[in-house]
Amino acid sequence: GAVVSQHPSWVICKSGTSVKIECRSLDFQATTMFWYRQFPKQSLMLMATSNEGSKATYEQGVEKDKFLINHASLTLSTLTVTSAHPEDSSFYICSAGVGGWTTEAFFGQGTRLTVV
Amino acid sequence: DAKTTQPPSMDCAEGRAANLPCNHSTISGNEYVYWYRQIHSQGPQYIIHGLKNNETNEMASLIITEDRKSSTLILPHATLRDTAVYYCIVTYNNAGNMLTFGGGTRLMVKP
């Protein structure tokens, strides 16, 4: 199946700093990618839809100025958590679909962010 | 997307079949039933999906009732590595479509 790769797998940062998470589709092109956030013992919550070459669409309650999304190419979307605070500590996951004959979504392995 | 209801947790003995139920009574005619699972600290993994016919692949079988208001995911011979949270999601069959995750079922496979 198609492969979606996230980097880094985990990161620890200090409060007030920014962290960038990359999501790559390794063997297919993805015009749309999705970013999810998952707090401990909770389900995945969609944060935003990342569209190649255009602005991301954010879900209600997600601050677009805090969670910057860039989808500059068909194989790369980035999520930057700006001025991170401890409450931003979470598991961030991206996904993408191939389109055409296959219909499932492929997920990255996730990035665990810890803000200290 | 239609809402789904799953039991929060289930246990299964290793080597036995694991039957995970899902209710989706408000499913519309064009919506599919998808199953994903998430092993601890990993991204979700696609398992199987179907519209109205039963489906089987190398991982599992999906049984959908005739009225499509419920379904069951069957892992025929559960192993310890099948311990995970299983999500039943109803959505339109659109590749890469954003998914709305419910609480899922935490399956614990025990030796």
Side-chain angles (χ1 to χ4, degrees):
Chain A
V3 178
V4 174
S5 178
Q6 264 183 260
H7 179 81
S9 296
W10 59 271
V11 58
I12 302 173
C13 71
K14 292 183 178 180
S15 288
T17 62
S18 296
V19 174
K20 179 185 286 188
I21 302 170
E22 294 185 345
C23 179
R24 294 180 183 274
S25 56
L26 296 187
D27 50 1
F28 67 99
Q29 294 181 330
T31 55
T32 303
M33 292 184 176
F34 302 94
W35 287 96
Y36 297 83
R37 180 168 55 182
Q38 184 176 33
F39 292 108
K41 298 192 182 300
Q42 294 186 22
S43 189
L44 285 79
M45 294 295 294
L46 180 68
M47 296 177 66
T49 302
S50 173
N51 303 298
E52 187 268 336
S54 65
K55 292 182 178 180
T57 304
Y58 291 82
E59 295 300 299
Q60 190 173 10
V62 178
E63 300 175 56
K64 62 180 182 180
D65 294 330
K66 181 171 182 61
F67 299 98
L68 302 179
I69 291 174
N70 184 278
H71 195 154
S73 78
L74 286 171
T75 59
L76 175 64
S77 174
T78 60
L79 169 68
T80 301
V81 183
T82 63
S83 186
H85 288 96
E87 56 266 31
D88 298 323
S89 298
S90 187
F91 193 53
Y92 293 86
I93 308 168
C94 69
S95 78
V98 177
W101 60 270
T102 184
T103 57
E104 67 263 35
F106 297 93
F107 289 82
Q109 66 269 45
T111 298
R112 181 152 317 274
L113 170 64
T114 303
V115 184
V116 298
Chain B
D1 291 346
K3 183 180 168 131
T4 62
T5 304
Q6 298 177 253
S9 64
M10 291 181 63
D11 289 344
C12 177
E14 187 179 19
R16 304 297 293 269
N19 298 288
L20 290 86
C22 179
N23 287 324
H24 32 79
S25 58
T26 59
I27 190 171
S28 68
N30 297 327
E31 289 183 303
Y32 284 67
V33 180
Y34 278 77
W35 284 83
Y36 287 80
R37 73 179 181 183
Q38 185 180 25
I39 296 171
H40 182 63
S41 294
Q42 297 183 23
Q45 175 191 23
Y46 165 82
I47 301 173
I48 198 167
H49 75 281
L51 181 63
K52 51 185 177 181
N53 295 325
N54 297 336
E55 303 287 345
T56 296
N57 63 19
E58 64 278 4
M59 290 184 68
S61 293
L62 174 60
I63 307 299
I64 303 174
T65 58
E66 190 170 346
D67 63 8
R68 300 208 325 124
K69 292 185 177 181
S70 66
S71 61
T72 301
L73 178 74
I74 301 173
L75 307 179
H77 304 287
T79 70
L80 298 179
R81 287 176 294 182
D82 292 322
T83 293
V85 179
Y86 288 77
Y87 296 100
C88 168
I89 299 171
V90 173
T91 187
Y92 294 100
N93 195 21
N94 183 8
N97 195 18
M98 64 180 183
L99 301 174
T100 301
F101 287 82
T105 296
R106 184 173 299 275
L107 176 68
M108 179 72 72
V109 181
K110 298 183 176 181

